[in-house]
Amino acid sequence: EAGVAQSPRYKIIEKRQSVAFWCNPISGHATLYWYQQILGQGPKLLIQFQNNGVVDDSQLPKDRFSAERLKGVDSTLKIQPAKLEDSAVYLCASSSPPQQETQYFGPGTRLLVL
Amino acid sequence: AQSVSQHNHHVILSEAASLELGCNYSYGGTVNLFWYVQYPGQHLQLLLKYFSGDPLVKGIKGFEAEFIKSKFSFNLRKPSVQWSDTAEYFCAVNAGQEGRRALTFGSGTRLQVQP
């Protein structure tokens, strides 16, 4: 089966610009996660969707980050305006019953904010 | 909230050496435990997982991990490493209420295997 797809793979922007990332989960996976991985750290959850509803966005900096999953399939994560500290890899993951606890990760989008 | 500690940030081994990477978590309830691996230039892949049952779990590529509940540990082991095991290894845990089971990751251990 096809894995989790993400685009773009790399993005360089200047601070205060906006940027959007796209994720297409594994077919049939109802749960979708966005993680932020800063260099030298482990991934940190930003938001979790169950179908098109938000389950957990407690760690999403809502003043600048937004995410949606309108049709319960693919998802977009947006940053507006970007800050230098947003430089990171943004990972998308998905999961589905019966192995709900096992998450499958995409290749990530590496963002550099100058 | 749960947290995960990986005390070894960078490990260098020669081929055929034995490997043990430490992972400790803090959470008082039932947890699911995972080890993920990220090979250079590739995405995170599941190495092994523990949900319940036998605390010694075996994963892909000869890796195994032992869940010791009393020590809140889930250390990763491999008896003989290969150059191809060079990668970054992440321990992760999920816990909490059903349906809100996002992973909490450790900071990772970079393993370098020298030929």
Side-chain angles (χ1 to χ4, degrees):
Chain A
E1 73 185 351
V4 177
Q6 290 188 247
S7 68
R9 293 294 308 276
Y10 305 93
K11 190 74 177 179
I12 301 174
I13 62 173
E14 295 188 349
K15 60 183 179 183
R16 291 187 290 273
Q17 286 186 323
S18 62
V19 64
F21 313 128
W22 174 82
C23 171
N24 191 356
I26 293 173
S27 178
H29 279 198
T31 309
L32 185 148
Y33 308 81
W34 283 101
Y35 290 86
Q36 179 193 56
Q37 185 177 13
I38 294 172
L39 188 64
Q41 300 180 18
K44 184 187 79 173
L45 177 74
L46 291 174
I47 189 167
Q48 176 188 347
F49 290 94
Q50 180 72 23
N51 296 308
N52 60 349
V54 175
V55 173
D56 185 354
D57 64 356
S58 57
Q59 299 185 79
L60 186 73
K62 299 181 186 64
D63 57 334
R64 297 184 301 106
F65 285 66
S66 65
E68 60 183 13
R69 194 184 184 199
L70 292 175
K71 296 182 179 179
V73 180
D74 54 357
S75 175
T76 56
L77 175 70
K78 297 179 181 177
I79 308 175
Q80 181 179 11
K83 293 185 175 182
L84 296 178
E85 58 262 36
D86 298 332
S87 294
V89 177
Y90 291 85
L91 298 168
C92 181
S94 69
S95 66
S96 187
Q99 291 294 319
Q100 182 69 25
E101 312 295 355
T102 301
Q103 296 178 29
Y104 298 89
F105 284 82
T109 296
R110 186 175 298 274
L111 173 67
L112 179 61
V113 182
L114 302 176
Chain B
Q2 61 263 29
S3 65
V4 178
S5 296
Q6 292 182 245
H7 304 295
N8 312 105
H9 298 294
H10 190 191
V11 174
I12 302 174
L13 296 173
S14 298
E15 275 193 313
S18 64
L19 170 72
E20 181 160 3
L21 301 182
C23 172
N24 289 91
Y25 67 93
S26 65
Y27 185 73
T30 302
V31 295
N32 299 313
L33 297 155
F34 305 80
W35 276 97
Y36 279 84
V37 61
Q38 189 166 29
Y39 297 103
Q42 296 187 28
H43 60 277
L44 278 167
Q45 300 172 41
L46 182 66
L47 201 54
L48 50 78
K49 59 189 177 186
Y50 172 80
F51 291 170
S52 63
D54 188 344
L56 183 62
V57 293
K58 295 190 184 298
I60 60 172
K61 304 185 180 185
F63 286 90
E64 64 178 31
E66 184 176 12
F67 171 51
I68 303 179
K69 188 175 182 179
S70 61
K71 296 185 177 180
F72 297 90
S73 70
F74 190 56
N75 293 352
L76 181 71
R77 299 194 294 247
K78 186 172 185 179
S80 176
V81 295
Q82 301 173 318
W83 177 80
S84 58
D85 293 324
T86 295
E88 188 146 22
Y89 293 81
F90 292 93
C91 182
V93 59
N94 73 5
Q97 67 188 80
E98 191 76 28
R100 297 173 70 96
R101 299 283 190 114
L103 293 169
T104 298
F105 284 86
S107 56
T109 297
R110 185 174 300 277
L111 172 65
Q112 184 179 346
V113 180
Q114 297 177 332

